[in-house]
Structures are given as structure tokens and as C-alpha cells.
Amino acid sequence: MGLERVSKILKMADEANTSVIAFNCINYDMAYSVVTVAEEVKKPVVIMLYPEHNYRFNNTDLRGFAEMVKSLASKVTVPIGLHLDHSSDFDYIMNAIKEGFTSVMFDGSMLPLEENIRLSKKVVEVAHTFGVDVEAELGRVGFAADSDEENPDMYTKPEVAAEFCRKTGVDSVAVAIGSAHGVYLEVPKLDLERLEEINKATEKPLVLHGGSGIPNDQLEAAFTKGINKFNVGTEFFQLYYDSVFEYMKAHEGEKNVNLLFEMSNYVQNRLMDYLREKMKLSKC
Ligand code: 13P
């Protein structure tokens, strides 16, 4: 069916009182596995590119990634969204839109509130002209390695969320309620009461970042209290890495170049097993 707007997918999730899952991907093995399982379980999904995987690690390029996801989406019947994850660089975001991204995140969470509002609004004004959706971040979802999720000073305040959404016109907002990016040192505890308050204060779909390692019962509760997009990166990348490692170990000492070509199949199957399980969390 081709790419679907992320705002439309989030609306579907909201109507079903659940969340769609958004996976960070770097290449065909990952994106193919996500789209294939989404089609199998008949659920919408979002594929995200983290900018560093383009400009720093050169894992992919913007247009190539966008075209790859478009092509995969054209072969299935379920809605597939394409999203540029965390960027605070206006020019980079504009370039991503030019190269085919239909949803972008402007991350101004490190900035003073007024500056976050001003720049989020600026991105919205241009993006909406091109029919592209915008996610912003309010409060700050930091890093699990720094125990940022334990710092309530960084959490999103409901009344500020209302003001932020009204002034910027963003399509969705990432909230800080006790999650963080990367590997948690302790089991995180989401502030679900705060989430409910934020959800009451604004109509906009809410996004939960730092999805790797949050217990399922907390996720399920968060999905019924306003989270309509749930981002997963670290655990998906870790599984990819582990699968390559396992494959290499199983073939240690062999010198057959065909093993390289057959590796994709092995990795994709491992990723798809994980995705089948993960996608059960989403009820749309
Ligand atoms: P994790 O890498 O912690 O799963 O977080 C992913 C994320 O929030 C991407 O925006």
C-alpha cells in the first residue's frame, strides 16, 4: 500500500487505545524483518532512522533508506510509517524531508523551553507545507547509563506540555516519565500518574522513548494512558549484533564466502522471532 503518514498511524493507535511500535533500523535486514512481521501479524509499524547512523557511522544514506522503506511498504497491506528520529539540526531535518522522510523529530529537549518552542514551531511550519509530520520532545529523556530516568527534574510537566503543543502545532510529543535511552542499570519505573495528567492536558499523541528494557506490564499500562508511539532501539540492535556473533561462531574457521550471503537469512529469522513477540504488545 505504500508509506502511511505517521500521524495517521498514531491516530489509529489512539482510537484503539494502544501504541504502535517504532523500531530503529540501520539496514535492509532490520527494515525487511520489521515490515515482514508487521504484515504477518497485520499491525501497523514505524521504521525510524537515527541520524548518527547516517552521518557518523555511514550505515546508510538518507535517500537510500527512505527509498528502501518505501519499496518495502509498497509490497504489504499494513500501514508502514517512516520517521527520522532525534535531530536538533534544522538543516539536517530539511534535507531528510527533501530526501523522502515523511515524519521527523525535532529534539529541542536540551534547550530552554522558549527556544524549544520557537525551533519546534519553525520545523512544523516547513514540514507541514510538505505534508510531513513532526514529533518534538518536552522534558528530557536522557541516558540510562547516567540514570537520567531517575531524575524527576527532567520529567515533562503536564501544564507545560499543554502550552508547548498549543504554541508549536507539533503532531506528537515525546514525554519524559521515567524512561531513558540505552541499557538500564536498574529496572525503570514509569510515572504513570504523570502520564495520565499529561494525556489529560493535551490532545496530542504521546511518544515513549527508551523502550528497551521496560517491563511489559508497565508498557501495557502506559499504552492505555496516552502513549501512542513506543520507540525501541538498543535491544533490537543488540539482538542483531548477537545474531551475527552467533552465526560467525557457528562457522568459526570456515573460509567459504557464501557464508556471507547466507548470514542475512540467519539474522532476519532471529530478528523476526523477536519482533513477533514484541509486536504482541501493540493492540492495533
Ligand atoms: P532505546 O535504544 O533505549 O530502546 O530507545 C530508543 C529510542 O527511544 C529511540 O528514539
Side-chain angles (χ1 to χ4, degrees), residues 10-137:
L10 267 53
K11 191 164 185 285
M12 288 167 61
D14 187 39
E15 282 165 6
N17 202 25
T18 187
S19 177
V20 68
I21 309 187
F23 293 97
N24 288 116
C25 295
I26 56 169
N27 63 13
Y28 185 79
D29 283 333
M30 298 187 95
Y32 170 81
S33 303
V34 171
V35 173
T36 303
V37 171
E39 178 71 351
E40 191 183 302
V41 301
K42 292 279 172 274
K43 290 179 181 178
V45 78
V46 176
I47 293 182
M48 307 186 290
L49 175 67
Y50 191 67
E52 271 204 347
H53 296 145
N54 161 230
Y55 71 75
R56 180 167 168 211
F57 298 113
N58 203 25
N59 299 130
T60 186
D61 88 314
L62 282 175
R63 187 180 306 179
F65 191 88
E67 291 296 329
M68 172 183 72
V69 177
K70 267 185 220 167
S71 168
L72 287 165
S74 72
K75 298 185 184 107
V76 295
T77 59
V78 289
I80 307 291
L82 167 66
H83 178 75
L84 180 78
D85 208 4
H86 296 273
S87 178
S88 50
D89 180 339
F90 182 82
D91 292 339
Y92 186 85
I93 292 174
M94 292 303 119
N95 195 35
I97 293 174
K98 194 172 119 228
E99 299 291 10
F101 277 74
T102 52
S103 175
V104 294
M105 177 182 190
F106 173 72
D107 181 357
S109 60
M110 305 283 277
L111 302 169
L113 177 64
E114 287 310 317
E115 197 60 356
N116 191 0
I117 291 175
R118 187 180 72 78
L119 290 171
S120 298
K121 186 165 181 269
K122 189 173 159 195
V123 172
V124 167
E125 278 166 3
V126 184
H128 282 184
T129 313
F130 293 101
V132 168
D133 299 315
V134 180
E135 175 182 326
E137 180 166 320

Side-chain angles (χ1 to χ4, degrees), residues 24 48 50 85-86 105 135 141 180-184 208-213 229 231-235 237:
N24 288 116
M48 307 186 290
Y50 191 67
D85 208 4
H86 296 273
M105 177 182 190
E135 175 182 326
V141 182
H181 299 99
V183 180
Y184 293 101
L208 185 65
H209 282 241
S212 302
K229 175 171 172 279
N231 288 9
V232 181
T234 301
E235 66 185 30
F237 291 134

